[in-house]
């Protein structure tokens, strides 16, 4: 099985001042998308920034980003419905109106460092049913083992997502969530619903490499990017997202699971061309 590599280039937490190389302008995002696709990424997970480089869920900017990335690449375009921890539920639901190929869907509330990333059950179910109506393929974000249990409950109650495939991402190493180590990854994978057809893993910060290696060894896929880590190695910051994608592609090739093409990724997730 080839490896689906997703790049998460920006996120909502890091400021441009703290990381000048973070792609926050639309032109920077598109340049990042092109280079990362050439390096082996098949999907891009997008957070958008405003003219002052602050996180925003402005619908016009979201639509412009989706259109621009589609026009310049064949990547699956996935928008974050998480936004920043301060974003309202209403604004997060409105993200789907930007017509992405896919969206993230976090399966529960989690302590996020010193903040709280709120995802109460009524919001989760409303967002999920909206993805079904709009035929947008969700990626279920699991920050803790309790989120795996919530995924069982959601699928048992509301059925399969658009496209019929169930793809999850284990987000590991967030302070307040599950640790980024191999035993936890194995436990989470063993607890996934039987209807899950594919899963990836994300290691935050210094857990990036341990999680990537564990995921590949267990048959999972990879998400990398400057949203999740700004350090390439001890004392050496990431200079561009493409470095993280290139390293993920090298690891996948060593595991004899080379990077998946965008066509293969669309088949894996049953995502139609935008």
């Amino acid at each position: 099985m080839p490896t689906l590599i997703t790049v998460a280039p920006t996120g909502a937490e890091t400021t441009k001042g703290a990381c000048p190389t973070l792609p926050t302008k639309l032109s920077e995002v598109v340049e990042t998308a092109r280079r990362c696709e050439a390096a082996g990424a098949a999907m891009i997970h997008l957070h958008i920034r405003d003219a002052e480089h602050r996180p925003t869920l402005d619908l016009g900017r979201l639509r412009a980003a989706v259109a621009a990335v589609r026009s310049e690449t064949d990547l699956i375009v996935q928008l974050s419905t998480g936004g920043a921890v301060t974003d309202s539920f209403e604004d997060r639901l409105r993200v789907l109106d930007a017509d992405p190929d896919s969206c993230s869907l976090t399966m529960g509330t989690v302590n996020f460092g010193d903040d709280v990333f709120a995802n109460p059950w009524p919001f989760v179910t409303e967002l999920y049913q909206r993805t079904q109506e709009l035929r947008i393929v969700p990626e279920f974000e699991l920050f803790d083992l309790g989120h795996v249990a919530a995924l069982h409950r959601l699928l048992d109650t509301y059925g399969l997502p658009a496209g019929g495939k169930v793809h999850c991402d284990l987000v590991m190493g967030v302070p307040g969530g599950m640790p980024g180590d191999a035993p936890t990854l194995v436990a989470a994978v063993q607890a996934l619903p039987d209807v899950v057809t594919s899963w990836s893993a994300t290691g935050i910060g210094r857990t990036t490499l341990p999680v990537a290696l564990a995921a590949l060894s267990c048959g999972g896929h990879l998400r990398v990017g400057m949203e999740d880590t700004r350090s390439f190695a001890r004392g050496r910051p990431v200079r561009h997202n493409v470095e993280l994608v290139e390293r993920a592609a090298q690891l996948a090739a060593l595991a004899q699971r080379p990077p998946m093409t965008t066509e293969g990724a669309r088949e894996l997730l049953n995502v139609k061309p935008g």
Side-chain angles (χ1 to χ4, degrees), residues 3-124:
T3 303
L4 167 62
I5 298 176
T6 300
V7 61
T10 306
E13 308 304 321
T14 302
T15 67
K16 188 75 164 180
C19 184
T21 59
L22 192 74
T24 54
K25 298 178 181 178
L26 183 55
S27 59
E28 295 171 336
V29 170
V30 172
E31 184 268 348
T32 295
R34 285 198 302 260
R35 290 185 63 183
C36 289
E37 181 181 31
M43 181 156 65
I44 188 166
H45 171 82
L46 289 179
H47 289 255
I48 306 302
R49 302 294 180 98
D50 65 15
E52 284 72 46
H53 311 287
R54 297 171 302 196
T56 180
L57 294 181
D58 177 78
L59 189 55
R61 288 182 178 273
L62 289 168
R63 285 175 171 156
V66 170
V69 173
R70 279 183 178 154
S71 70
E72 297 290 335
T73 76
D74 292 322
L75 291 170
I76 296 172
V77 181
Q78 180 186 95
L79 290 180
S80 169
T81 63
V85 294
T86 54
D87 285 320
S88 70
F89 297 139
E90 181 182 7
D91 287 343
R92 292 167 60 189
L93 287 167
R94 195 178 296 119
V95 167
L96 300 184
D97 293 336
D99 192 30
D101 300 306
S102 174
C103 71
S104 61
L105 199 163
T106 300
M107 286 306 306
T109 297
V110 64
N111 287 327
F112 203 91
D114 294 335
D115 297 308
V116 176
F117 181 24
N119 295 280
W121 184 249
F123 170 71
V124 170

Side-chain angles (χ1 to χ4, degrees), residues 87-240:
D87 285 320
S88 70
F89 297 139
E90 181 182 7
D91 287 343
R92 292 167 60 189
L93 287 167
R94 195 178 296 119
V95 167
L96 300 184
D97 293 336
D99 192 30
D101 300 306
S102 174
C103 71
S104 61
L105 199 163
T106 300
M107 286 306 306
T109 297
V110 64
N111 287 327
F112 203 91
D114 294 335
D115 297 308
V116 176
F117 181 24
N119 295 280
W121 184 249
F123 170 71
V124 170
T125 58
E126 183 177 1
L127 177 57
Y128 183 52
Q129 291 175 89
R130 185 77 172 137
T131 67
Q132 291 173 316
E133 293 168 5
L134 296 175
R135 308 296 298 171
I136 294 170
V137 175
E139 177 181 273
F140 299 102
E141 307 295 336
L142 310 174
F143 286 76
D144 216 337
L145 292 180
H147 292 181
V148 179
L151 179 59
H152 281 265
R153 180 186 176 193
L154 185 78
L155 297 174
D156 288 345
T157 304
Y158 297 99
L160 294 175
K165 302 292 185 74
V166 181
H167 179 71
C168 307
D169 182 49
L170 307 176
V171 186
M172 310 183 72
V174 171
M178 59 183 161
D181 56 36
T184 304
L185 182 141
V186 170
V189 171
Q190 289 178 338
L192 291 174
D194 291 339
V195 292
V196 168
T197 51
S198 60
W199 60 272
S200 61
T202 303
I204 303 300
R206 67 185 65 184
T207 72
T208 296
L209 280 174
V211 166
L213 294 168
L216 287 170
S217 71
C218 291
H221 303 279
L222 304 178
R223 180 180 117 169
V224 297
M226 293 175 72
E227 172 174 350
D228 305 316
T229 182
R230 291 184 287 135
S231 177
F232 189 81
R234 188 182 299 273
R236 206 285 239 171
V238 177
R239 300 187 182 102
H240 193 286

